[in-house]
Amino acid sequence: MPRQGRKRKKTRTHVVETDERITSALHSNDELKIPRSLVIRRGKCESELVELVSDLRKLMRPYTAVNFKEDATNRKVTLAHYANSLTGSMGVTHILAVSQNASKITLRMGRTPSGPTLSFRIKRFTLGRQIRSVQRRPYDSTKAFESPPIVVTNNFGDVSAAPHVKLMRITFQNMFPAINVSTVKLGDCRRVVLFNFIRRDVDEKQSASGAGGENDDLEDEEVEIRHYAIRAKPVGVDRKVRRLVEAKIPNLSNLNDISEYITNSGIAGGELSDSEAEDETSHVVLPGKYRGKGNNPSQKSALKLVEIGPRLRLKLYKVERALASGDVMYHAYVHKTPSEIAALKSRKDGEVTLKKRRREEQEANVARKKGAKEEKKEAREVRRKDREEKAMAELRGEAAMGGGGDDGDDESESGSEESSRGEEESGSSEEEEEGESDEEEELAAWANK
């Protein structure tokens, strides 16, 4: 703090600035209903899987923990632990866990805190870095990740679809915030996440015999995930004028005037774009201002999807009722009859009952041992107090016995002192009488003279 004279003047007020957006989010029902996700990896993973987790976090932005540091090697930290510790404090609603073993790569999507949990097998994946490396004009914009993407679910069927298919569709949709068409802003629609459900009629004999090639890896039901960015460009003008509108300065070193650049058909340009001529269904009239030069309201623009990754091919093989636990509601490879399911459920219920009874017995034993320990401690404390009181009583008795002998000695000593004092007084009185008699004799002799 700076000094003024002999005193220091305080210049800071120590007032903590609060973010109004966060404060309003805590009190807004709409903000509290926004789903928030957590993408983690479990166990030892290859470097490509670590990068895949980073790409998945980018896909789930902005309502996800981008810089979350998990302890992947600690196997004791389960999904239930993450759910119990982060659901209330951070409002996490979905957990995506990537793990790897010697034979497969698994992606589990769980709804916190009570499930269900969908377990997928990652058949193949492509990183965002690999996709951008083969693109001619890769998309690179950080502002596109400031708003949630548009979710598109394709080929999942209607109400007559299988229960596990409907559960997949509902889970994919609920991982992202819903879009209110009446209040959404056009500038916030910057990305698209596509979930495409693929159905195949795979011959069991062909799959069992192993015909070779790609057919060995085919499944009857798979989910393909793609991540796109929306790019808009104005249409209705030739390529040269559009480049000028987009503030791209052309090379005019061999020209005398800008009109030669516009009208000269010998130079590349002067015609409509090839993509505009091929795909006219992508032309839309913008209702408002959109990102990019020339994308003004009431202006016709061409929308184009640019893939930004990652790209995944998933196979659902198990659905659990709770969070990574509970009854198996669906399994792609293991099928059981109703009697087997009932027997398995009764066995599970028996195990739960036995576990509960053993837990109660253990708690009773712990309480009994704790009570016995407390009783022993109290008895030991009582014995210690008795020993202390007995020792103090013995000390008091010895002190009383030693005090009586000392009093007799003191009385004898005091008697001897008094007798000696009396003898001294009698001797002094005799000396005084002798002195007086000598004086009288001297006076009588003087008088006779």
Side-chain angles (χ1 to χ4, degrees):
M1 291 184 292
R3 289 183 176 272
Q4 281 192 354
R6 299 180 61 184
K7 295 183 179 180
R8 292 188 299 173
K9 181 181 178 182
K10 188 175 182 180
T11 57
R12 291 180 296 176
T13 58
H14 297 280
V15 176
V16 179
E17 298 181 358
T18 58
D19 193 350
E20 295 180 358
R21 181 175 58 83
I22 298 176
T23 305
S24 61
L26 295 176
H27 300 284
S28 176
N29 293 330
D30 295 337
E31 291 289 338
L32 293 175
K33 292 179 181 178
I34 293 177
R36 303 178 188 276
S37 60
L38 177 67
V39 184
I40 59 175
R41 58 184 177 91
R42 292 181 51 77
K44 295 182 179 180
C45 299
E46 299 292 337
S47 59
E48 288 80 5
L49 284 186
V50 176
E51 193 171 354
L52 177 63
V53 170
S54 178
D55 289 346
L56 287 175
R57 291 177 179 178
K58 186 180 294 186
L59 183 145
M60 303 297 294
R61 286 183 63 182
Y63 301 109
T64 188
V66 179
N67 299 321
F68 184 78
K69 301 296 183 181
E70 70 276 18
D71 190 1
T73 58
N74 189 1
R75 302 296 297 181
K76 294 183 180 180
V77 182
T78 60
L79 297 184
H81 174 78
Y82 284 110
N84 295 331
S85 59
L86 300 178
T87 300
S89 59
M90 297 179 60
V92 175
T93 59
H94 293 81
I95 295 180
L96 285 76
V98 179
S99 60
Q100 179 187 14
N101 57 19
S103 60
K104 62 181 180 180
I105 302 173
T106 304
L107 172 64
R108 290 189 292 177
M109 299 181 183
R111 180 73 164 86
T112 60
S114 59
T117 304
L118 282 71
S119 299
F120 295 91
R121 181 174 296 175
I122 301 179
K123 309 296 292 186
R124 61 178 66 92
F125 67 92
T126 306
L127 300 174
R129 168 179 56 82
Q130 298 170 345
I131 293 176
R132 290 191 298 271
S133 63
V134 297
Q135 290 177 343
R136 184 179 179 184
R137 296 183 180 90
Y139 186 86
D140 188 11
S141 176
T142 57
K143 292 185 177 180
F145 299 96
E146 296 178 357
S147 57
I150 301 173
V151 180
V152 178
T153 56
N154 182 42
N155 202 24
F156 280 88
D158 50 6
V159 294
S160 61
H164 66 281
V165 177
K166 291 191 289 185
L167 181 60
M168 279 194 295
R169 176 177 57 82
I170 294 172
T171 302
F172 293 149
Q173 291 177 346
N174 292 339
M175 286 193 304
F176 301 91
I179 296 177
N180 190 352
V181 181
S182 60
T183 59
V184 66
K185 296 180 181 180
L186 182 62
D188 293 339
C189 302
R190 304 284 296 275
R191 294 183 295 137
V192 176
V193 176
L194 172 64
F195 296 94
N196 183 29
F197 185 67
I198 303 174
R199 290 186 177 89
R200 297 190 184 93
D201 294 332
V202 180
D203 191 1
E204 296 181 358
K205 295 182 180 180
Q206 182 179 358
S207 60
S209 60
E214 296 181 356
N215 293 331
D216 294 341
D217 199 25
L218 292 180
E219 298 285 351
D220 55 348
E221 294 179 350
E222 290 182 348
V223 178
E224 187 178 20
I225 301 177
R226 296 289 188 93
H227 187 204
Y228 299 97
I230 301 176
R231 179 180 290 173
K233 290 187 177 182
V235 297
V237 294
D238 56 29
R239 184 179 299 175
K240 294 181 179 180
V241 175
R242 189 178 64 191
R243 288 176 62 87
L244 294 177
V245 171
E246 293 176 354
K248 296 180 180 179
I249 302 176
N251 185 11
L252 305 178
S253 59
N254 297 326
L255 303 177
N256 297 324
D257 194 358
I258 188 65
S259 60
E260 295 182 5
Y261 174 77
I262 301 297
T263 59
N264 190 359
S265 59
I267 303 176
E271 69 278 356
L272 295 179
S273 174
D274 297 335
S275 61
E276 295 178 12
E278 292 177 358
D279 188 9
E280 295 183 356
T281 58
S282 63
H283 298 176
V284 296
V285 178
L286 299 177
K289 175 65 178 177
Y290 196 73
R291 180 186 177 276
K293 298 290 185 178
N295 297 321
N296 298 320
S298 303
Q299 174 70 33
K300 182 180 288 188
S301 299
L303 300 181
K304 184 179 180 180
L305 297 180
V306 181
E307 189 170 4
I308 56 180
R311 183 188 303 177
L312 295 94
R313 183 70 65 85
L314 308 178
K315 166 62 180 176
L316 178 68
Y317 69 91
K318 186 170 64 173
V319 178
E320 296 171 288
R321 188 179 300 275
L323 185 62
S325 61
D327 300 337
V328 177
M329 304 169 59
Y330 168 79
H331 205 288
Y333 305 112
V334 180
H335 303 282
K336 296 182 180 296
T337 61
S339 60
E340 292 176 348
I341 295 174
L344 181 61
K345 186 175 181 180
S346 62
R347 183 171 63 85
K348 289 292 184 181
D349 294 341
E351 292 178 356
V352 172
T353 304
L354 180 61
K355 184 177 180 180
K356 184 179 180 180
R357 183 170 58 83
R358 288 180 176 177
R359 175 71 64 178
E360 292 175 354
E361 292 179 356
Q362 185 179 9
E363 291 177 356
N365 293 334
V366 170
R368 179 176 55 81
K369 292 180 181 179
K370 187 176 181 181
K373 187 177 180 180
E374 292 293 335
E375 291 178 358
K376 289 182 180 179
K377 185 177 180 181
E378 291 177 359
R380 187 164 56 251
E381 189 69 19
V382 170
R383 291 195 299 269
R384 185 182 64 81
K385 290 182 179 180
D386 292 341
R387 288 195 301 269
E388 290 178 356
E389 292 178 357
K390 187 177 180 180
M392 292 297 295
E394 292 177 356
L395 290 175
R396 291 191 187 97
E398 292 177 359
M401 294 175 63
D406 293 341
D407 293 341
D409 295 340
D410 293 339
E411 290 177 357
S412 61
E413 290 178 358
S414 61
S416 62
E417 288 179 358
E418 290 178 357
S419 61
S420 61
R421 191 180 300 112
E423 292 176 355
E424 290 177 357
E425 291 178 355
S426 60
S428 61
S429 61
E430 291 178 355
E431 291 177 356
E432 290 177 356
E433 290 178 357
E434 291 178 357
E436 291 179 355
S437 62
D438 292 338
E439 289 179 357
E440 290 179 354
E441 290 179 357
E442 289 179 359
L443 290 173
W446 180 75
N448 292 326
K449 289 179 180 182

